[in-house]
Amino acid sequence: MRTLPDPQKAKPCVLVVDDDEAVAWAIAGRLGQDFRVVGLTDPAAAVRRACEEKPGVILCDIHMPGLQGDEVAFALSQEPRTARIPLIYLTALVTPEEVADLDGVFGDYPTVSKSASTQELRDLVSAALGLPDDC
């Protein structure tokens, strides 16, 4: 008898890079029905982990000890295997209503507030993955 594929592996992967493990758990709870969420608390390991997991999108905190979000984004952009993975900055710096104030501040990457609604987060991740609106 053949082994059935793991249904979790069939879901698009979202890699969450945040020094606060609770953030990754919270995002996994909010997105886990539709996506396979992998959390990473060591920003220095982001490139290696992205190469291993092959995520469809990366959510990256802006302010972290060691490496800041822009340094993680730069490192990912320099590795051919991760350079094309969409990156979305994740921040507690602003409310969902203030996110537009950050447009262009951290390069061309979109930004989402950690306090954004689950639907807003899901929509942004789906758009980055190129999924239809009804996913």
Side-chain angles (χ1 to χ4, degrees), residues 5-91:
D6 181 353
Q8 283 293 62
K9 293 283 187 183
K11 294 179 180 180
C13 180
V14 176
L15 177 62
V16 179
V17 182
D18 196 302
D19 58 303
D20 185 349
E21 186 177 7
V23 171
W25 279 106
I27 290 174
R30 295 166 69 189
L31 298 179
Q33 180 177 340
D34 301 311
F35 305 100
R36 181 173 63 91
V37 180
V38 175
L40 176 64
T41 57
D42 178 8
V47 172
R48 178 186 53 77
R49 192 66 184 269
C51 288
E52 292 170 1
E53 296 292 339
K54 299 176 180 66
V57 66
I58 298 170
L59 295 176
C60 184
D61 191 14
I62 293 173
H63 290 293
M64 297 178 285
L67 287 179
Q68 297 292 314
D70 60 340
E71 294 170 305
V72 172
F74 180 76
L76 289 163
S77 75
Q78 298 304 296
E79 167 57 52
R81 294 173 292 172
T82 60
R84 296 188 183 266
I85 300 171
L87 183 131
I88 300 169
Y89 282 125
L90 187 63
T91 186

